[in-house]
Amino acid sequence: MSMITLNGTLLNVYRAPVRKNAEEGEKERDKIQILGDIALPNGEVRKDLMTITVSDYRDYQDLVGGEVSVSVGAFAPQKGSVIFFESKA
């Protein structure tokens, strides 16, 4: 499995409510938000906010405001949408 590493400034950590999963009883998902640079073909740089699902947001609470590097996996559930999730190998 190939991994992607996202680098940037950690802006926020939070628990996001989700629909209840009847099998697992899951009610919330931990998330972090990273502001990073996206290189454009013309040489310019665009800032982009990426939201990543993580196993425990508390692992990142003390890092808010600092630079972080997170190994992630990604999938696209629909055209124009990418979901990132923490990948611990």
Side-chain angles (χ1 to χ4, degrees):
M1 176 172 126
S2 62
M3 285 191 276
I4 302 166
T5 301
L6 296 179
N7 303 302
T9 304
L10 181 61
L11 296 181
N12 190 25
V13 297
Y14 66 99
R15 299 196 93 177
V18 295
R19 287 180 280 165
K20 186 173 181 176
N21 183 334
E23 295 173 7
E24 299 175 21
E26 185 177 25
K27 296 181 183 176
E28 297 176 323
R29 287 205 177 129
D30 294 357
K31 306 273 187 174
I32 63 172
Q33 292 180 303
I34 296 176
L35 183 65
D37 294 337
I38 305 294
L40 301 175
N42 65 357
E44 295 287 329
V45 175
R46 178 186 82 208
K47 296 284 187 185
D48 203 1
L49 181 65
M50 291 159 267
T51 301
I52 305 163
T53 301
V54 295
S55 56
D56 191 348
Y57 76 98
R58 293 173 292 190
D59 293 341
Y60 296 90
Q61 277 184 319
D62 294 338
L63 303 174
V64 173
E67 294 295 312
V68 295
S69 183
V70 181
S71 294
V72 300
F75 69 95
Q78 60 190 4
K79 185 177 180 179
S81 175
V82 177
I83 296 176
F84 294 104
F85 56 93
E86 180 182 41
S87 177
K88 292 189 176 182

